[in-house]
Amino acid sequence: MTHDMIRLIAFDLDGTLLTPDKTLAGRDIEALCEAAARGVELVPASGRLLAALPPDVLTLPNVRHVIAVNGAQVLEYPSGRVLAAAELTAGRAVEIMRFLDGFDVIYDCYAGGMAWMSRAHKALIDGTVADVHYRKMLHELRRPVDDLKAFVLGGGRGVQKVQLFTSDDALRAWLLEELPRRFDGLAVTSSVSQNIEINSAGATKGAALASLARLLGLPRGAVMAIGDGLNDISMLSAAGLAVAMGNAHEDVKRCAGYVTATNAECGVALSVEKFVLGKDV
């Protein structure tokens, strides 16, 4: 694949473009800006809501679309217009929550462009989530409600994602296997060490990326994807050029065509310089 073939770069944020302290490195910014100047579209592809994406990411040049909530939404940017969506029904989301109530977990959900959490679970964030950056994000972005299940059912709203956190690694591993066995029609993945993300089966980064490429008239070979987490595997599989970060889960590395450096070592920049800008790195 020659460097002038790539017309779109889809990149995960946490563990990929964002450094361990959740900032953007100068070299990564420079490489992406140079790619954009050559006409390459930059597409953030995250498990986060659009409202939770860092401004420094959204102000990169040539960001015209965003894949949000693990592919539950493909959005036009900056208008926020939803181009494609795959959601859980309110009833199915609550069914999952009731099952999770039997375990030592806290959970939230994404609906209506916001993230919601019961007050009781929000009070348990500090004792459950080890990573200081995720604790801060959960405190800042989760809107508290008295009863999350009643809130979801009362609104009759579609749910883009149910997300849980647990400090029990064995329980998390079991739930990753058990949830898709117990409930059909789900995409169950993880993006960080303590979480599980539950979407509709049609809501994957890979399906969203393929849909966006079709919308833009781009062949698979013109698409590059970069990621590190289990929720990035489908996206890498949908791209003509799949790049895993050096800090990626081993399953992610196995499905990638190339493994770059870690997110602490400007792995995004190195891969963009090599495959898009044609530089010797």
Side-chain angles (χ1 to χ4, degrees):
M1 180 176 292
T2 59
H3 64 270
D4 57 350
M5 291 177 62
I6 300 299
R7 308 310 305 155
L8 183 153
I9 305 171
F11 47 88
D12 173 56
L13 298 185
D14 298 289
T16 299
L17 179 62
L18 299 182
T19 64
D21 65 359
K22 304 301 178 185
T23 60
L24 271 68
R27 184 172 180 178
D28 287 332
I29 294 172
E30 290 172 8
L32 290 172
C33 286
E34 188 172 344
R38 298 187 184 193
V40 177
E41 179 163 353
L42 307 181
V43 180
S46 176
R48 301 189 189 197
L49 290 161
L50 176 61
L53 267 60
D56 287 349
V57 173
L58 293 174
T59 54
L60 288 169
N62 218 17
V63 173
R64 298 187 291 119
H65 300 91
V66 171
I67 294 171
V69 201
N70 285 338
Q73 294 178 323
V74 179
L75 302 161
E76 186 178 71
Y77 186 77
S79 72
R81 184 166 67 99
V82 178
L83 303 179
E87 299 180 328
L88 298 166
T89 65
R92 174 46 65 95
V94 168
E95 186 182 3
I96 294 165
M97 292 176 192
R98 286 177 177 150
F99 172 69
L100 295 176
D101 283 337
F103 303 97
D104 185 18
V105 306
I106 61 173
Y107 56 77
D108 57 40
C109 78
Y110 292 3
M114 299 291 178
W116 310 90
M117 193 177 222
S118 71
R119 296 183 199 281
H121 280 185
K122 193 165 184 181
L124 298 174
I125 288 172
D126 290 346
T128 303
V129 181
D131 187 285
V132 63
H133 300 291
Y134 279 98
R135 288 203 304 268
K136 182 175 184 292
M137 189 163 59
L138 289 171
H139 281 300
E140 291 178 350
L141 298 177
R142 269 48 178 179
R143 295 193 172 194
V145 296
D146 290 332
D147 184 331
L148 185 60
K149 294 187 289 294
F151 172 78
V152 171
L153 286 176
R157 66 194 76 207
V159 172
Q160 288 87 52
K161 182 171 76 173
V162 175
Q163 176 177 227
L164 70 90
F165 287 86
T166 179
S167 57
D168 186 333
D169 290 341
L171 173 61
R172 175 175 169 273
W174 181 80
L175 286 171
L176 278 167
E177 298 293 332
E178 181 65 17
L179 282 164
R181 279 199 297 260
R182 184 172 290 264
F183 301 99
D184 60 2
L186 298 184
V188 180
T189 60
S190 175
S191 61
V192 296
S193 61
Q194 288 186 290
N195 88 333
I196 294 177
E197 303 182 19
I198 306 162
N199 295 85
S200 164
T204 68
K205 291 186 182 183
L209 180 57
S211 174
L212 179 58
R214 287 193 299 270
L215 178 68
L216 298 176
L218 294 176
R220 183 169 176 266
V223 176
M224 175 180 178
I226 315 171
D228 74 292
L230 296 175
N231 62 336
D232 295 320
I233 289 176
S234 64
M235 178 173 73
L236 299 191
S237 298
L241 176 58
V243 177
M245 300 297 292
N247 53 285
H249 190 284
E250 289 305 313
D251 289 347
V252 180
K253 291 179 181 179
R254 280 191 284 270
C255 79
Y258 180 76
V259 178
T260 186
T262 71
N263 64 325
E265 301 166 324
C266 297
V268 168
L270 288 168
S271 61
V272 171
E273 289 165 3
K274 178 179 178 66
F275 293 110
V276 181
L277 305 179
K279 298 181 178 181
D280 291 327
V281 294

